[in-house]
Amino acid sequence: MTNITVIGTGYVGLVAALGLSDFGNRVIGADIDPDKISMLQSGKSPIYEKGIEDYLRRNLDSGRLSFTTDIGKAVRSSEVVFLAVGTPPKEDGSADLSYIEKAVGTIADNAQGYTVVVTKSTVPVGTNRILQKYINTRNPEAEIEIVSNPEFLREGRAIQDFFHPDRTVIGTESSRAKEVMKKVYRALNLISVPFVWCNLETAELIKYASNAFLATKISFINQMAALSDAVGADIHIVSRTMGMDGRISSKFLHPGPGYGGSCFPKDTKAVVSTGERYGVDMSLIKTVISANEKQKKHVVEILVDMMGNPAGRTVAVLGLAFKSETDDVRDSPSLTLVSELLSAGAELRAHDPKASDNFRKIIPELQCFDSSYEALEGADALVLMTEWNEYRALDLELVKAKMKGSVILDARNLLDSDMARDYGFNYRGIGRGNRLKVT
Ligand code: NAD
């Protein structure tokens, strides 16, 4: 059993704290947000993630897991400290490392005995080495070694991804820290999860390269979807068939309203900013970023093309989260759609099974309803923005009865296009040969 503190109890830190406790370690989840900590202490999760409260209560009951706002005290009792605080983008696209710096300062001031600091937060290449120097200068007596252990979990499947990762990447040049990390992750080693041991910079770059590549796949397929619309091809058959080629893989080839979330938008910008710092051409990733911005606006353009000027018209928006199975709305494409339609004078009626409250923290004037059918009442148009299963199962008869108009823009291609057209809807998906009826 290892004594561990996880600093930051957000989407990554909370899941890591639960998982590490489930492995049998004694874990303290520490956060500066007292509301989050008191919720967690009472067995309630501040984020939505399937199954998370079962893990939370089980580990609290086991006595191995606790939560605190006293970060210094938690650090003093730990051999390993995970860093899982946010690294949001600054105005210029580079990562804001102020949360990391604050947390590392607390660790440097409080660590007792040999302590391994494990950076799970996504930090620009070179950051961990700088942090190590900073710790050594701030507290030359401290025996602290920094390890880079980037996180790859997907929100919505975070718990499953924690227990069954495709790989675990650990950047360290210290054999002592390596032994500590082997002990912490023994449970993953036992189930033959591949471990990649490398230096700090390699570990940091693996994370950025992976996210930049996935974002590139999404922007690529979105542009192919636009071409499909123009020429009357069906992007689903195109992408499915591309995916049959083992060199390509079918994952991340689903067209949609553009990527969002807390990782791809900020990590692609950070890669560009790192390239600029080192004088390395990142034009490919710059194009991916601008293609994604255009895609988010393209959804609004298609809608205007279908319904005309949205001023004074009622639009139902189903889906506010950046993807299904999460309540996370950070950089969600729905933010672009909703703000553009509101400024154009449309009346909006929205629904999301989990993300309405978070969305209204950003756009408070948005009217949200408890059920999707309520949001559809009197709507001239419907836009499907998030791939929640309940939207796939919409009863089109009922949709028709609730709506005043007949426009459906399916930005996730959830509905059967032929069936929707047979019901009399003016239906468009993304890249499904919108100019032609697919037979
Ligand atoms: P988050 O915003 O959900 O959580 C961050 C938490 O850190 C918050 O609870 C905040 O109160 C806390 N915090 C900030 N400063 C602190 C401090 N000094 N001491 C203690 N707590 C502090 O963020 P997240 O989505 O969990 O992401 C965390 C990091 O992991 C980011 O670098 C992100 O890029 C990376 N990451 C996120 C995901 C994801 O899907 N969310 C996946 C992989 C990697």
Side-chain angles (χ1 to χ4, degrees):
M1 186 200 272
T2 307
N3 291 325
I4 298 174
T5 288
V6 179
I7 302 186
T9 58
Y11 289 88
V12 166
L14 178 56
V15 171
L18 300 182
L20 291 165
S21 165
D22 223 62
F23 287 164
N25 299 297
R26 199 175 66 81
V27 179
I28 306 171
D31 204 291
I32 44 171
D33 183 338
D35 295 338
K36 254 184 200 177
I37 291 301
S38 55
M39 270 184 90
L40 288 164
Q41 284 167 334
S42 66
K44 292 208 164 49
S45 172
I47 56 162
Y48 172 73
E49 190 65 49
K50 218 177 199 163
I52 202 162
E53 287 192 346
D54 297 339
Y55 277 94
L56 177 59
R57 292 200 198 105
R58 187 166 95 199
N59 283 284
L60 283 171
D61 290 349
S62 75
R64 286 191 304 271
L65 179 67
S66 60
F67 293 95
T68 185
T69 50
D70 191 341
I71 300 164
K73 188 173 172 202
V75 168
R76 288 195 290 280
S77 69
S78 297
E79 304 147 73
V80 178
V81 181
F82 278 78
L83 274 176
V85 300
T87 48
K90 290 198 286 198
E91 281 282 297
D92 64 359
S94 64
D96 177 355
L97 297 176
S98 57
Y99 302 97
I100 289 272
E101 284 158 7
K102 188 159 179 255
V104 166
T106 309
I107 298 169
D109 295 344
N110 287 280
Q112 291 188 350
Y114 179 67
T115 308
V116 176
V117 175
V118 185
T119 310
K120 270 220 164 287
S121 301
T122 306
V123 293
V125 182
T127 304
N128 279 296
R129 207 169 287 280
I130 293 168
L131 292 175
Q132 180 73 64
K133 283 191 194 136
Y134 170 71
I135 291 171
N136 296 347
T137 315
R138 182 161 170 147
N139 184 356
E141 305 300 311
E143 260 195 300
I144 299 173
E145 289 195 297
I146 286 222
V147 164
S148 170
N149 172 214
E151 180 55 64
F152 297 93
L153 62 75
R154 295 161 293 178
E155 285 175 21
R157 291 166 173 235
I159 293 176
Q160 186 196 325
D161 284 351
F162 185 88
F163 288 109
H164 300 281
D166 289 339
R167 71 317 205 182
T168 295
V169 175
I170 300 184
T172 176
E173 287 138 47
S174 152
S175 49
R176 193 172 177 192
K178 186 173 177 178
E179 288 315 307
V180 171
M181 292 309 291
K182 276 187 183 166
K183 196 171 138 206
V184 166
Y185 281 133
R186 191 170 167 270
L188 294 184
N189 200 24
L190 288 175
I191 57 164
S192 301
V193 169
F195 275 71
V196 176
W197 300 94
C198 53
N199 70 10
L200 293 170
E201 289 76 11
T202 306
E204 291 163 339
L205 188 54
I206 287 170
K207 174 66 190 174
Y208 280 104
S210 302
N211 275 358
F213 185 70
L214 293 173
T216 304
K217 272 189 107 173
I218 295 173
S219 285
F220 175 88
I221 207 65
N222 282 338
Q223 288 203 339
M224 289 302 137
L227 200 52
S228 295
D229 278 336
V231 302
D234 184 335
I235 192 66
H236 281 270
I237 302 176
V238 173
S239 66
R240 204 179 328 124
T241 314
M242 283 174 67
M244 289 170 188
D245 187 327
R247 295 169 302 176
I248 296 174
S249 135
S250 58
K251 307 263 173 68
F252 279 77
L253 282 182
H254 304 285
Y259 60 76
S262 67
C263 292
F264 292 172
K266 89 172 164 59
D267 293 350
T268 44
K269 284 182 199 147
V271 167
V272 169
S273 152
T274 304
E276 277 163 4
R277 190 146 36 91
Y278 287 89
V280 178
D281 176 29
M282 287 290 135
S283 51
L284 178 61
I285 309 306
K286 274 188 195 163
T287 305
V288 168
I289 295 168
S290 68
N292 194 57
E293 285 310 306
K294 281 187 199 146
Q295 185 67 8
K296 291 195 272 182
K297 295 207 156 87
H298 185 51
V299 173
V300 185
E301 286 160 8
I302 302 175
L303 183 66
V304 172
D305 188 40
M306 293 176 82
M307 73 180 299
N309 186 347
R313 315 282 297 283
T314 304
V315 180
V317 178
L318 297 191
L320 301 171
F322 83 95
K323 65 175 196 172
S324 62
E325 302 302 329
T326 183
D327 59 354
D328 197 345
V329 299
R330 287 177 284 185
D331 265 317
S332 170
S334 292
L335 288 167
T336 305
L337 177 85
V338 166
S339 51
E340 298 237 339
L341 288 178
L342 285 175
S343 1
E347 191 190 316
L348 300 189
R349 298 171 66 86
H351 170 264
D352 189 286
K354 299 288 172 196
S356 299
D357 290 347
N358 282 343
F359 201 91
R360 269 197 304 234
K361 285 179 198 155
I362 305 173
I363 305 186
E365 63 270 37
L366 182 69
Q367 274 193 93
C368 293
F369 296 87
D370 289 340
S371 99
S372 44
Y373 294 108
E374 232 179 310
L376 288 165
E377 299 264 6
D380 294 295
L382 156 63
V383 190
L384 287 156
M385 288 295 285
T386 311
E387 71 282 27
W388 288 100
N389 270 336
E390 68 169 89
Y391 301 153
R392 285 192 175 93
L394 279 174
D395 173 349
L396 291 181
E397 190 75 58
L398 193 52
V399 172
K400 201 161 183 214
K402 295 276 178 192
M403 283 177 67
K404 193 167 74 189
S406 61
V407 167
I408 297 185
L409 171 52
D410 184 357
R412 295 282 185 174
N413 294 348
L414 303 178
L415 305 179
D416 179 323
S417 52
D418 287 340
M419 196 194 286
R421 286 174 185 132
D422 289 345
Y423 269 98
F425 287 107
N426 171 12
Y427 172 92
R428 282 205 210 167
I430 302 285
R432 295 169 113 180
N434 282 329
R435 303 261 153 88
L436 303 174
K437 183 175 189 291
V438 181
T439 53

